[in-house]
Amino acid sequence: MDIVLQQLVNGLTLGSVYGLIAIGYTMVYGIIGMINFAHGDVYMVSAYITAIAIALLTFFGIESFPIIIIGTLFLTVAVTGVYGWAIERIAYRPLRNSSRLSVLISAIGMSLILQNYVQLSQGANQQGVPTLLTGAIRFTVGDGFVQITYMKLLILFISFLGMGVLTYVIQKTKLGRMCRATQQDRKMASILGIDTDKVISTVFVIGAMMAALAGVLITLDYGAFDFYVGFIIGIKAFTAAVLGGIGSLPGAMLGGLILGLSEALFAGLISSDYKDVFSFSLLVLILIVRPSGLLGKPEVEKV
């Protein structure tokens, strides 16, 4: 029983991070109907920015953990948001009216550019950051125990806070209304006076910022990363977005949690070697039963 509970804690933490990254995929697809395949590498860039931010804050003599974590979050989210804006302006806006194949190739090219840019500028060796938050809470369960580290609690808190704030922005603010209008009918939204180009750029920036949140949290938890780390977690987050229903914000969150929990339970109870196989098999099974994903709506072709 203690193993199951421990894996549920691990899976919830992992799933919340998948959900944060999946939001970027689902928001971009919801607005322009295209997949940002460079999104995983935006997460990778945020990991390096996290390390640079920690080094800068430490260099200036800041040792308080709350100040370091807040400063790192602020710097990483801000700089990564600029990357998201640049990707939209360079790889997507010039090709927005072209074929989807052209945009796909452009996105893959941007992904390779980011990988090689980081590899050349930061080196190909694995990088790391020091452990800043130690300690854990333990609960006795039967003959064993369940452990929740303070870092995992911080990940859960910031992840769900970020998701909650974004949900409020999309549902209750003027920016959210403009995003929903652009998603429903971009041409009509433009006629009604909405600057759809600005909205699309904003969505890319928001998606990059959510990936940056995940990048800071995972980097502080695992402590190690390299220039290729964005590929695997990007594929996992894209799987979570499709699982929940690509284009659906709650679906991205739900898909991330389901993927993280199922992956952790399978790894802990059966075999960690085949956890990825199980995750993608689950995706295939759900899409066979519900092709639009758990919370996605079937697309109706516009005439």
Side-chain angles (χ1 to χ4, degrees):
M1 184 63 181
D2 57 320
I3 296 177
V4 174
L5 291 176
Q6 184 65 65
Q7 291 306 113
L8 285 175
V9 171
N10 296 338
L12 188 63
T13 306
L14 183 62
S16 64
V17 172
Y18 284 159
L20 283 176
I21 306 173
I23 285 171
Y25 284 109
T26 205
M27 287 188 70
V28 169
Y29 183 84
I31 290 290
I32 62 176
M34 298 172 184
I35 302 298
N36 180 12
F37 281 108
H39 190 59
D41 295 289
V42 172
Y43 160 85
M44 176 270 296
V45 168
S46 73
Y48 280 87
I49 298 173
T50 298
I52 293 171
I54 292 174
L56 283 174
L57 293 171
T58 305
F59 176 78
F60 286 109
I62 298 174
E63 297 180 356
S64 171
F65 175 76
I67 297 177
I68 288 178
I69 188 65
I70 292 172
T72 300
L73 280 170
F74 177 79
L75 289 172
T76 304
V77 167
V79 176
T80 308
V82 175
Y83 274 89
W85 175 84
I87 287 172
E88 192 276 331
R89 293 300 298 265
I90 296 171
Y92 279 84
R93 184 173 295 189
L95 299 173
R96 196 176 296 162
N97 297 320
S98 303
S99 66
R100 294 198 176 192
L101 182 60
S102 299
V103 180
L104 173 63
I105 294 171
S106 178
I108 294 174
M110 181 57 68
S111 172
L112 295 174
I113 288 173
L114 288 175
Q115 285 184 24
N116 284 274
Y117 157 67
V118 171
Q119 182 183 8
L120 291 173
S121 62
Q122 302 297 324
N125 295 329
Q126 191 175 67
Q127 307 290 333
V129 297
T131 301
L132 299 178
L133 182 61
T134 58
I137 300 173
R138 290 188 176 186
F139 301 95
T140 301
V141 179
D143 296 330
F145 64 89
V146 176
Q147 176 175 287
I148 306 176
T149 64
Y150 293 142
M151 192 64 230
K152 281 186 168 55
L153 288 174
L154 182 65
I155 290 174
L156 289 172
F157 174 75
I158 294 180
S159 296
F160 284 104
L161 178 63
M163 292 178 184
V165 170
L166 180 60
T167 300
Y168 174 81
V169 169
I170 296 299
Q171 296 295 330
K172 301 295 184 180
T173 66
K174 180 180 178 181
L175 174 61
R177 289 192 293 272
M178 290 192 297
C179 289
R180 298 200 307 272
T182 304
Q183 177 181 7
Q184 292 175 4
D185 194 323
R186 196 192 318 166
K187 185 179 293 186
M188 182 57 68
S190 181
I191 292 173
L192 294 175
I194 296 175
D195 188 344
T196 54
D197 286 338
K198 186 176 180 180
V199 170
I200 292 171
S201 290
T202 302
V203 165
F204 271 83
V205 171
I206 292 174
M209 287 180 169
M210 299 304 285
L213 277 181
V216 173
L217 297 173
I218 288 297
T219 301
L220 291 176
D221 189 27
Y222 285 90
F225 54 91
D226 57 34
F227 72 96
Y228 201 63
V229 71
F231 176 76
I232 297 298
I233 200 165
I235 292 294
K236 293 286 189 68
F238 176 64
T239 301
V242 175
L243 182 64
I246 190 105
S248 169
L249 190 60
M253 302 174 190
L254 178 62
L257 292 175
I258 290 176
L259 184 63
L261 287 168
S262 60
E263 188 175 300
L265 287 172
F266 187 87
L269 300 178
I270 301 176
S271 172
S272 60
D273 294 334
Y274 297 99
K275 60 184 177 65
D276 292 343
V277 174
F278 174 76
S279 300
F280 289 112
S281 298
L282 178 65
L283 171 67
V284 171
L285 179 62
I286 290 178
L287 291 181
I288 289 174
V289 178
R290 187 174 175 80
S292 57
L294 294 174
L295 300 183
K297 297 179 181 179
E299 289 191 13
V300 178
E301 189 173 346
K302 297 177 183 178
V303 180

